[in-house]
Amino acid sequence: MTAFYEETKACIDAVFEAHAPSEVTLTLDATGVNGHVQLLVLSIIGYQRLTQLKRVNAISGSCYAYLVYHALNTTGIEGLGAIMQRWDSNMRRHFHKTRVLKTLAKLPMAAVGKGNIFNPQCLEAMLRGTVNDHNANRPLSTVPDNAVFWVYNQTRGCPVGLNARGEYQDYSMAELARTFAAIPKLYGAAKLGDDWFIDPVFSKDYSALRTALKKDAKPGHHIYSNIAFAKQTPNITYIKTHQYGDGKRMVVADFIKLMFNIPNRKIYHAFQQANIPFSK
């Protein structure tokens, strides 16, 4: 294990030495392309303890990390090692079918809101490509009750938390995956029923959503896993869940690599960093 893993583990262990799991809220904030960097925090907390938390909030690409970890610890993911070895190539070439000239041709129209670079189906394909069809086809109602996946309902004009007992509980993980990271101009909005959804990071209410999640975590302690910084306050432990320097620059670089079919091994490294057993 790396020193970074040990340092992150020490921060998280300190929270649970002071608080029972039922007093702790975990928020997995947005990550950009590499949602799997959140696997570090998930693996340190552990699946059993994760299901005991007061709440687990997942935003944008972090939703994928949660569902991968959930599948890994329930039904399992056959051949995970092989999947992750070729994941970077599959994400660019198979799921997104990226080509430099294709991206350049679509950029002008996407920039003015007259098209998208990718189809929202890519988001579903990525989930299926990691957790397999069996896990992707399971309904949301099979996910632990304390997990909430946040999206933005454009039709209603507000953030919506998708959970196992809510309005969308009968939709499959694959169907919902289209909404988690439905970025305008990149994928466009995704439809569930009569409503349209986008990634909440790209809505006007993203800042308000984060503030509300921090407020809802009280009383109790909040582990806030993010790409920007590590910090400790009396009520919140901020975890920076990667070692790639400036988080915002990392996100931009990852998106550019995806759009222009440039190799990017960070997702594979995220599994290694989290000490996820490839043998499963």
Side-chain angles (χ1 to χ4, degrees), residues 58-280:
I59 301 172
S60 192
S62 298
C63 297
Y64 290 87
Y66 180 94
L67 290 177
V68 168
Y69 194 66
H70 170 64
L72 184 62
N73 285 276
T74 51
T75 65
I77 303 174
E78 186 176 354
L80 180 62
I83 290 171
M84 296 318 300
Q85 286 283 1
R86 62 176 182 269
W87 181 256
D88 175 52
S89 176
N90 279 350
M91 186 173 70
R92 291 180 288 112
R93 299 177 182 177
H94 182 61
F95 304 137
H96 287 79
K97 298 179 172 59
T98 52
R99 299 289 186 276
V100 174
L101 293 179
K102 179 181 176 182
T103 297
L104 289 173
K106 289 191 172 184
L107 272 175
M109 297 300 288
V112 297
K114 294 186 177 181
N116 305 306
I117 295 176
F118 303 119
N119 189 303
Q121 290 291 126
C122 294
L123 301 172
E124 176 181 335
M126 285 192 294
L127 183 66
R128 290 186 181 279
T130 318
V131 304
N132 67 42
D133 286 339
H134 171 71
N135 287 303
N137 288 335
R138 288 196 292 171
L140 180 60
S141 59
T142 61
V143 170
D145 291 356
N146 65 343
V148 183
F149 306 95
W150 289 95
V151 295
Y152 187 79
N153 189 318
Q154 281 189 315
T155 306
R156 303 179 192 178
C158 62
V160 175
L162 309 180
N163 62 76
R165 298 291 175 262
E167 181 180 356
Y168 300 93
Q169 63 177 292
D170 294 328
Y171 282 87
S172 71
M173 317 295 195
E175 290 173 306
L176 297 176
R178 301 173 198 167
T179 69
F180 297 151
I183 301 170
K185 300 182 181 181
L186 195 62
Y187 300 101
K191 193 175 185 182
L192 291 179
D194 295 326
D195 294 349
W196 290 91
F197 296 84
I198 61 170
D199 183 330
V201 175
F202 295 86
S203 74
K204 62 181 179 61
D205 291 330
Y206 179 41
S207 179
L209 172 61
R210 290 185 295 178
T211 299
L213 295 182
K214 292 174 186 178
K215 182 178 180 181
D216 289 345
K218 299 177 182 178
H221 198 80
H222 196 173
I223 298 175
Y224 201 96
S225 183
N226 72 107
I227 60 168
F229 60 91
K231 179 181 176 182
Q232 184 71 54
T233 74
N235 301 111
I236 306 177
T237 297
Y238 291 93
I239 301 289
K240 184 181 178 183
T241 190
H242 65 88
Q243 301 181 88
Y244 304 126
D246 187 302
K248 293 182 179 179
R249 291 183 180 178
M250 175 192 76
V251 168
V252 172
D254 285 348
F255 273 118
I256 291 173
K257 289 178 179 179
L258 173 62
M259 289 191 294
F260 290 97
N261 194 22
I262 300 171
N264 182 355
R265 296 278 288 172
K266 288 179 183 175
I267 296 177
Y268 175 75
H269 292 155
F271 272 75
Q272 291 183 313
Q273 172 180 269
N275 197 35
I276 296 294
F278 283 161
S279 59
K280 286 193 178 182

Side-chain angles (χ1 to χ4, degrees), residues 27-89:
T27 293
L28 306 170
D29 205 350
T31 59
V33 173
N34 191 0
H36 293 115
V37 294
Q38 296 287 18
L39 287 169
L40 172 67
V41 170
L42 292 171
S43 67
I44 291 172
I45 293 175
Y47 189 74
Q48 182 177 359
R49 190 161 55 182
L50 194 68
T51 64
Q52 299 169 349
L53 299 184
K54 180 178 179 181
R55 179 187 284 181
V56 180
N57 300 302
I59 301 172
S60 192
S62 298
C63 297
Y64 290 87
Y66 180 94
L67 290 177
V68 168
Y69 194 66
H70 170 64
L72 184 62
N73 285 276
T74 51
T75 65
I77 303 174
E78 186 176 354
L80 180 62
I83 290 171
M84 296 318 300
Q85 286 283 1
R86 62 176 182 269
W87 181 256
D88 175 52
S89 176

